[in-house]
Amino acid sequence: MNSPTIGPDHQLPAPASPTRRHKIVRVIVWLIILLIFAAGFLLVLHHKNDTPPAAGGRRGAAGGTVTVNVATAKKGDIGVYLNAIGTVTPVYTASITSQVNGQVIAVNYHEGQSVKKGDSLVEINPLPFQATLMQAEGTLERDQNVLAQAKMDLARYRDAWSRNAIPKQTLDDQEKIVLQDEGTVKLDQGVVQYDQVQVDFCHITSPIAGRVGLRLVDPGNVVQSSGSTTLAVVTQIQPITVIFTIPEDSLGQVAPHLRQKASLQVTAFDRSGLHPIASGTLLTIDNQIDTTTGTVKARANFNNKDNELYPNQFVNARLLIETIHNATLIPTSAIQHNGASSYVYLLQDNVAHMRAVAPGVVDGETTQVTGINPGDVVADSSFDKLQDNAKIVVSGKRVPAGTAGSNAP
């Protein structure tokens, strides 16, 4: 069979090039990949919309329940306080030095001993001063007798002059001699008193009641009246004071109470500010403001009956300015904040309702609020799960932060 002959005007079409085929294949592959991704995304989205939230999810507004702890607003009193850093400062501190030159012959105190006013502390050798005192007493005794003799002569001269037996000049001279002898006796008396004081200075006693510090001298040491050697330091412990600072902006709250002679309570806390040490009362405030810090110093008095406070101890002072009575009080942890506004979750019929409140005075874990009434029950946990109008379940156990109860079936 003869095949048809193809003439020069009837040629077959040329086959597609390999480069073009590759481009077509890549386009088809990318279209298939995009379709697969689109189908997968639609399946995931559909599954997410149909799947109920897991236990503990935030479903408060959608009908689920949240397990919460609750707190009841109470009516009570709350204090307005000023907190400041203070230092325990003794009322009196006596650094005792010698007022005479001599050798220490006895130290009569023990380190840390409590002493009363007038108790013996240190003895300095008094023998040189006693000898000088004896000389002065002898001089005084002699001059007193000279004065007595002059007075006897004056009495005789007056009697003789009354009988015109002596001239008036002799009587006048004797009167002046008596006055001179009286001056000499007075001078001798001053010398005796001075020497007696020197002897007394040898017996050093405590000028105040308090506690003695560490021993600073030993028997045998020689001390000088012009020296700076301290023989003993006595510090008054009971009562004792605390000096702390008050901001100048708070003077308007404190000063009126002082003018009215009111007794403002001050509590001293330890360095951490958590544990109270002692309670006292505000004595006074300083007469000027420190311009470098904008504060004024205040002094509080503590009886320190059990020696809780120690001189130069660092404390946190807490000054009670006034007490607000019949205030509505709730735990500070129950108050939530949204910018400048504050609110609580008020619980009614097992439903949480957001209620705006205005916080007032804060005292530790308790805050005064307005906007709710005493007896109202508020949520005190699970705030990351609560919403307005959310259903709640009250738990008798403490719910950990960030944990909600199981969903309603």
Side-chain angles (χ1 to χ4, degrees), residues 151-203:
K151 288 182 177 180
M152 292 171 56
D153 292 340
L154 178 60
R156 297 190 186 100
Y157 290 159
R158 284 175 177 171
D159 181 66
W161 183 77
S162 65
R163 293 182 282 105
N164 294 323
I166 60 173
K168 183 67 166 59
Q169 180 180 358
T170 303
L171 176 62
D172 293 341
D173 291 344
Q174 188 61 34
E175 288 178 347
K176 299 306 179 183
I177 292 175
V178 170
L179 294 177
Q180 292 173 13
D181 291 340
E182 287 178 346
T184 301
V185 169
K186 185 174 293 187
L187 178 62
D188 293 340
Q189 290 173 340
V191 174
V192 169
Q193 291 179 1
Y194 176 81
D195 290 339
Q196 182 63 59
V197 170
Q198 297 301 103
V199 172
D200 294 339
F201 281 159
C202 294
H203 308 284

Side-chain angles (χ1 to χ4, degrees), residues 18 42 76 204 251 390:
L42 292 175
I204 299 175
L251 281 178

Side-chain angles (χ1 to χ4, degrees), residues 88-90 211 235-242 268 277-280 301-311 313:
V88 179
T89 306
R211 178 182 295 168
T235 302
Q236 179 175 307
I237 302 297
Q238 299 173 345
I240 204 166
T241 67
V242 171
I277 303 175
S279 295
N301 185 64
F302 296 79
N303 60 25
N304 205 27
K305 180 176 60 176
D306 297 325
N307 296 333
E308 308 97 339
L309 299 175
Y310 205 80
Q313 178 182 1

Side-chain angles (χ1 to χ4, degrees), residues 246-280:
I246 296 175
E248 60 178 311
D249 295 338
S250 301
L251 281 178
Q253 299 175 281
V254 178
H257 295 284
L258 290 177
R259 287 194 294 267
Q260 298 170 6
K261 307 298 182 182
S263 179
L264 298 182
Q265 180 181 356
V266 180
T267 304
F269 287 78
D270 62 2
R271 184 180 292 270
S272 66
L274 301 176
H275 307 290
I277 303 175
S279 295

Side-chain angles (χ1 to χ4, degrees), residues 214-370:
L214 301 180
R215 189 177 70 252
L216 302 177
V217 292
D218 298 311
N221 294 156
V222 176
V223 294
Q224 304 290 329
S225 61
S226 59
S228 58
T229 302
T230 301
L231 305 183
V233 177
V234 182
T235 302
Q236 179 175 307
I237 302 297
Q238 299 173 345
I240 204 166
T241 67
V242 171
I243 293 180
F244 57 97
T245 56
I246 296 175
E248 60 178 311
D249 295 338
S250 301
L251 281 178
Q253 299 175 281
V254 178
H257 295 284
L258 290 177
R259 287 194 294 267
Q260 298 170 6
K261 307 298 182 182
S263 179
L264 298 182
Q265 180 181 356
V266 180
T267 304
F269 287 78
D270 62 2
R271 184 180 292 270
S272 66
L274 301 176
H275 307 290
I277 303 175
S279 295
T281 56
L282 182 66
L283 280 179
T284 186
I285 57 177
D286 203 356
N287 58 357
Q288 58 183 349
I289 295 173
D290 186 346
T291 56
T292 60
T293 60
T295 59
V296 61
K297 291 182 179 180
R299 185 190 292 270
N301 185 64
F302 296 79
N303 60 25
N304 205 27
K305 180 176 60 176
D306 297 325
N307 296 333
E308 308 97 339
L309 299 175
Y310 205 80
N312 295 332
Q313 178 182 1
F314 172 88
V315 296
N316 287 285
R318 195 179 191 205
L319 171 62
L320 175 61
I321 299 177
E322 62 175 322
T323 301
I324 299 176
H325 301 284
N326 299 323
T328 301
L329 308 177
I330 62 173
T332 305
S333 58
I335 302 175
Q336 302 300 297
H337 303 279
N338 184 12
S341 62
S342 302
Y343 63 92
V344 297
Y345 284 103
L346 183 64
L347 307 182
Q348 295 176 336
D349 299 327
N350 294 327
V351 177
H353 303 281
M354 291 181 62
R355 178 69 59 85
V357 295
V361 177
V362 179
D363 182 10
E365 300 297 327
T366 304
T367 300
Q368 171 208 8
V369 295
T370 55

